């Protein structure tokens, strides 16, 4: 979509005659805002919880949008009530004028490595009396008005000022002429929608987002949503207690994080920035049984859904929340050695730096040790490191040394220093893996590996906080129950029905 200056919008304005002179018609006043106006998604009703999930955010305007039914007709319902049905619909993109033009004015913090880090920064801004927005145009950012005071310690904000005189709409081309759809557009699909290899039941919405692009959104009941999450997150072949734990956590996580894409008019995305939500047909009998057996059950702390983070494998030692993301510790996300008592005695926490290599060199008796990334090794060259840091540390030059500056209680790296020919930089917390994407976790040791390269030997895959899926699978095979598994990874929490909790998620949504 093109961003045109206001002057160009009125370059061809009508002239109004007054005697022998003519004057241009005055343009209407600008609308000033932080973003493209987007209606908020509905609050989730505990009695009948439905999530709005962005199946396809920021749809590309470079090609038409093709929608195919899984069986029978689909029906598009426009905002004005028009109905158009077909088993296959092709929608084209078109730009139309915005009158009056929209003036985008905001200051932007970020990018942040995760929603959690953006949320912490937004919370500090909110405490200063500002009403910020968390957005994800490509990376996580925090937006606020240009005149909002910036609290100390949040870094440097950049200014964004744009005047937008066109916007993107959808067009359905018919024999009797095109039908413009400015959104939102409802999509009714009795036979489901075929999308990216999956079959989704819907109903669906096509709607503009905060950036002037569009998103395909599914309105999906929470229990059906879990059918598209559980098998893709932990694997459909996991033992029953592990599947049940994943169902509880996925349900809890969704409710706690319903504000994540509030700025775009829906609750959650469908990829790893949220929970992977893919073809629900992968949910076999065991998955469906686990979902049914835990129906409406969530983990709570002091009457609210917990931040139910989880990951593939912790490498044998769980991380505390504060070892992964900016912000204060959470009482139910604590570091601990994930293994038998004998190993807990051998490797007491806080794990000393000298104990990290022995832990990583062995650990076959730790829980979840059969995961393929329970132990791993990666080599990163100076060229790869420089490329990864180019955007955030352009002054660095050629990397020369890499060193661990600080470790957390679990032994994970909290600060990684890189010295280059032109300067230095420090990666902290979740920015380490977000920047050095080759690294499966921050539980590692690093040493030179020849000229201009470094070897990282580590353990685990993911952030390490909360449930280790590999650990849960191992424990379930050892006969551990659902409640015992959840109590291990989230001590002090309570398993309760959704109806008993306060489901107003904390965060930036009003």
């Amino acid at each position: 979509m093109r961003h045109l200056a206001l002057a160009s919008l009125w370059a061809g304005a009508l002239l109004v005659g007054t005697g022998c002179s003519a004057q241009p018609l005055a343009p209407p006043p600008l609308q000033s805002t932080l973003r493209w106006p987007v209606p908020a998604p509905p609050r989730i009703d505990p009695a009948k919880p439905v999530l709005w999930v962005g199946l396809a955010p920021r749809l590309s305007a470079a090609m038409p949008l093709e929608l195919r039914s899984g069986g029978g007709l689909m029906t598009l319902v426009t905002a004005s009530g028009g109905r158009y049905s077909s088993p296959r619909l092709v929608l084209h993109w078109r730009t139309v004028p915005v009158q009056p033009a929209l003036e985008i004015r905001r200051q932007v913090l970020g990018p942040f490595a995760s929603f959690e880090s953006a949320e912490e920064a937004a919370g500090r801004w909110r405490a200063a009396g500002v009403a910020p927005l968390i957005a994800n145009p490509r990376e996580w950012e925090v937006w606020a008005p240009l005149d909002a005071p910036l609290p100390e310690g949040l870094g440097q904000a950049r200014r964004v000022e744009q005047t937008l005189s066109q916007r993107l709409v959808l067009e359905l081309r018919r024999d009797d002429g095109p039908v413009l759809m400015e959104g939102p557009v409802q999509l009714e699909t009795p036979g489901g929608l075929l999308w990216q290899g999956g079959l989704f039941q819907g109903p669906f919405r096509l709607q503009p987002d905060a950036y002037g692009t569009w998103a395909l959104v599914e309105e999906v009941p929470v229990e059906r949503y879990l059918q598209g999450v559980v098998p893709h997150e932990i694997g459909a072949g996991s033992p029953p207690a592990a599947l049940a734990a994943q169902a509880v956590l996925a349900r809890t996580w969704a409710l706690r994080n319903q504000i994540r894409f509030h700025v775009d008019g829906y609750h959650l995305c469908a990829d790893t920035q949220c929970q992977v939500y893919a073809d629900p047909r992968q949910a076999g009998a065991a998955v469906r049984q686990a979902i049914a057996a835990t129906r409406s059950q969530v983990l709570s702390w002091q009457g609210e859904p917990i931040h139910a983070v989880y990951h593939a494998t912790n490498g044998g030692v769980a991380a505390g929340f504060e070892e992964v993301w900016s912000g204060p510790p959470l009482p139910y996300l604590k570091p601990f050695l994930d293994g038998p008592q004998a190993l807990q005695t051998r490797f007491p926490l806080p794990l000393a730096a000298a104990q990290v290599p022995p832990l990583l060199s062995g650990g076959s008796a730790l829980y979840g040790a059969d995961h393929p990334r329970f132990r791993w090794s990666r080599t990163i060259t100076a060229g790869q490191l420089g490329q990864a840091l180019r955007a955030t540390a352009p002054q660095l030059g050629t990397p020369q040394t890499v060193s661990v500056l600080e470790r957390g209680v679990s032994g994970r790296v909290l600060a990684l220093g890189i010295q280059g020919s032109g300067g230095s930089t420090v990666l902290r917390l979740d920015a380490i893996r977000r920047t050095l994407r080759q690294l499966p976790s921050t539980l590692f040791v690093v040493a030179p590996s020849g000229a201009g390269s470094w070897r990282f030997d580590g353990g685990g895959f993911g952030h390490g906080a909360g449930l280790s899926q590999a650990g849960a699978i191992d424990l379930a095979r050892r006969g551990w129950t659902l409640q015992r598994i959840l109590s291990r990874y989230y001590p002090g929490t309570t398993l309760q029905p959704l109806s008993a909790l306060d489901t107003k998620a904390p965060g930036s949504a009003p």
Side-chain angles (χ1 to χ4, degrees), residues 411-480:
R412 282 173 170 77
V413 177
L414 305 185
L416 186 69
I418 300 98
Q419 178 69 49
S421 58
S424 63
T425 190
V426 177
L427 299 176
R428 300 183 183 277
L429 302 177
D430 52 350
I432 298 173
R433 281 201 312 132
R434 190 70 173 165
T435 304
L436 306 181
R437 296 175 184 264
Q438 303 98 315
L439 301 182
S441 80
T442 56
L443 180 61
F444 61 77
V445 293
V446 58
S449 177
S453 69
W454 294 268
R455 175 170 167 156
F456 295 76
D457 291 307
F461 183 26
H463 49 69
L467 181 120
S468 162
Q469 292 167 324
I473 291 169
D474 188 353
L475 293 172
R477 288 172 177 161
R478 296 170 189 251
W480 285 42

Side-chain angles (χ1 to χ4, degrees), residues 107-409:
Q107 54 180 317
V108 178
L109 282 176
F112 293 93
S114 64
F115 173 84
E116 286 77 8
S117 291
E119 186 177 40
E120 191 270 340
R124 292 172 63 186
W125 223 338
R126 196 176 301 113
V130 178
L133 298 174
I134 301 175
N136 187 272
R138 292 295 174 186
E139 301 282 350
W140 292 108
E141 298 178 349
V142 180
W143 298 349
L146 285 181
D147 58 356
L150 184 64
E152 291 185 10
L154 285 183
Q156 186 70 33
R158 67 183 187 276
R159 296 171 65 93
V160 172
E161 296 182 74
Q162 297 172 316
T163 300
L164 308 178
S165 60
Q166 289 187 332
R167 61 191 174 100
L168 205 61
V169 299
L170 287 167
E171 179 182 79
L172 178 64
R173 295 176 182 174
R174 294 167 49 84
D175 292 342
D176 56 353
V179 179
L180 286 184
M181 289 172 278
E182 301 185 2
V185 179
Q186 303 284 340
L187 180 63
E188 300 171 356
T189 57
L193 176 70
L194 294 170
W195 186 261
Q196 296 182 342
L199 179 65
F200 299 87
Q201 187 173 332
F204 303 90
R205 299 167 59 86
L206 286 162
Q207 60 186 49
D209 58 26
Y211 326 109
T213 51
W214 284 58
L216 172 65
V217 176
E218 182 181 13
E219 301 176 27
V220 54
V222 167
E223 301 304 310
R224 172 154 46 94
Y225 166 76
L226 296 182
Q227 296 175 18
V229 172
V230 173
H232 299 284
E233 283 287 0
I234 199 170
S238 300
L243 289 175
Q246 182 66 75
V248 169
L249 296 175
R251 186 184 295 112
T252 306
W253 190 96
L255 294 167
R256 162 60 174 77
N257 285 274
Q258 63 184 268
I259 64 162
R260 194 163 277 227
F261 283 84
H262 186 274
V263 72
D264 293 313
Y266 52 91
H267 299 119
L268 299 174
C269 61
D271 60 26
T272 54
Q273 290 297 321
C274 298
Q275 301 181 113
V276 174
Y277 172 62
D279 192 350
R281 293 176 297 181
Q282 298 295 320
V287 171
R288 293 173 185 269
Q289 173 58 31
I291 295 170
T294 63
R295 183 176 182 84
S296 297
Q297 296 292 302
V298 293
L299 271 185
S300 71
W301 176 268
Q302 297 183 346
E304 294 183 353
I306 70 165
H307 195 11
V309 292
Y310 55 87
H311 56 281
T313 168
N314 59 23
V317 57
F321 180 91
E322 69 282 4
E323 294 183 89
V324 184
W325 300 288
S326 301
L330 291 177
Y332 49 81
L333 291 176
K334 297 180 178 180
F336 64 90
L337 198 81
D338 200 7
Q341 184 60 48
L343 286 177
Q344 295 178 36
T345 302
R346 180 183 171 191
F347 295 103
L349 301 189
L351 193 64
Q355 286 285 74
V356 176
L359 178 72
L360 292 174
S361 65
S364 60
L366 294 165
Y367 299 142
D370 59 349
H371 191 281
R373 290 183 184 160
F374 188 76
R375 295 290 179 263
W376 50 264
S377 180
R378 300 287 187 271
T379 298
I380 301 179
T381 67
Q384 292 170 325
L385 194 56
Q387 178 66 30
L389 292 164
R390 186 164 298 167
T392 56
Q395 81 290 348
L396 185 69
T398 302
Q400 297 176 333
T401 63
V402 178
S403 57
V404 173
L405 304 180
E406 183 182 358
R407 291 188 183 272
V409 173

Side-chain angles (χ1 to χ4, degrees), residues 26 46 68 90 105 148 268 284 328 410 439 450 464 491 509:
R68 291 183 176 271
V90 178
R105 302 179 74 244
L268 299 174
S410 73
L439 301 182

Side-chain angles (χ1 to χ4, degrees), residues 36-51:
W36 286 93
V38 177
R43 286 269 182 212
I44 293 178
D45 180 359
K48 192 177 180 181
V50 175
L51 290 167

